[in-house]
Amino acid sequence: MSNPTKILGDERRNFILRRLQASQAPITGSELAAIANVSRQVIVGDITLLKARNEPIIATSQGYLYMHASRPTGAERTIACSHDPNRTEEELLLLVDHGVTVKDVKIEHPVYGDLTASIMVSNRYEVKQFIEKIRSTNASYLSELTGGIHLHTISAPTEKMLDEAEQTLRKANFLIDLE
């Protein structure tokens, strides 16, 4: 006997979309599954279908996030970094401590080409969550595929904040100078 509160098909995908659009914070697949009374795997499939409809949904280490069209506020740039995996937390903390959001990590894979993964960390709590998720799932960092070399897209309210964050990373030997 099926549960009458289960949300089906397009109705469920529209529900997920509205829920993500209304939220300022990421929502986990497990949370969405519990609300819709389906498995987390069904939600993963629904998110894939929504992305195929060009909905701007990204998967972060904290859950799914709807990327609202935003007015350009602040500054954004790409930085090139290199370090051992055991320095990842230090790198991210240095950035967020300067008021910087680390949006993603990118590598150039010899077979797959450019690979990008969303990080979306803006504070120490989010960094700790990200690092704990890596550890608890025994996942590898993308940079491990490239000997530690990777790019980050970073953003902050001002160029000065990005400059100061870069200067701190340079002093700590995280940056690859492109000059």
Side-chain angles (χ1 to χ4, degrees):
M1 183 176 222
S2 67
N3 186 332
T5 61
K6 184 181 281 189
I7 304 172
L8 302 174
D10 282 335
E11 182 184 348
R12 183 182 58 248
R13 285 182 284 282
N14 289 331
F15 168 80
I16 291 168
L17 186 58
R18 287 190 308 274
R19 192 73 181 234
L20 290 171
Q21 289 170 330
S23 178
Q24 296 300 314
I27 304 173
T28 68
S30 297
E31 290 174 75
L32 291 168
I35 295 166
N37 200 26
V38 295
S39 71
R40 192 178 92 45
Q41 197 55 41
V42 168
I43 298 298
V44 170
D46 285 343
I47 294 292
T48 300
L49 291 172
L50 288 168
K51 286 179 177 183
R53 291 187 346 204
N54 292 319
E55 293 295 347
I57 298 168
I58 61 168
T60 72
S61 60
Q62 295 93 31
Y64 296 109
L65 188 62
Y66 188 88
M67 298 302 293
H68 296 277
S70 61
R71 327 171 263 308
T73 56
E76 182 175 287
R77 71 177 67 150
T78 300
I79 58 173
C81 302
S82 181
H83 59 81
D84 292 333
N86 61 351
R87 292 193 72 199
T88 300
E89 184 173 10
E90 178 188 357
E91 173 200 43
L92 295 175
L93 289 173
L94 284 174
L95 288 164
V96 300
D97 285 351
H98 280 84
V100 169
T101 295
V102 182
K103 297 175 95 173
D104 59 28
V105 60
K106 299 175 188 174
I107 63 162
E108 186 177 325
H109 190 274
V111 175
Y112 300 114
D114 292 338
L115 297 178
T116 303
S118 175
I119 296 179
M120 297 303 286
V121 295
S122 300
N123 57 53
R124 284 181 161 261
Y125 177 74
E126 291 171 351
V127 169
K128 297 284 186 200
Q129 281 187 310
F130 174 75
I131 298 296
E132 179 53 36
K133 186 93 166 207
I134 293 286
R135 288 182 182 143
S136 69
T137 61
N138 206 25
S140 297
Y141 296 104
L142 276 185
S143 61
E144 291 181 63
L145 299 173
T146 56
I149 298 170
H150 59 284
L151 303 175
H152 286 299
T153 305
I154 58 173
S155 65
T158 67
E159 288 285 343
K160 183 176 188 236
M161 292 169 81
L162 293 179
D163 291 342
E164 290 170 355
E166 271 196 71
Q167 186 176 34
T168 300
L169 287 180
R170 187 168 283 107
K171 285 180 186 172
N173 294 316
F174 282 107
L175 287 187
I176 300 170
D177 282 317
L178 302 175
E179 299 168 355

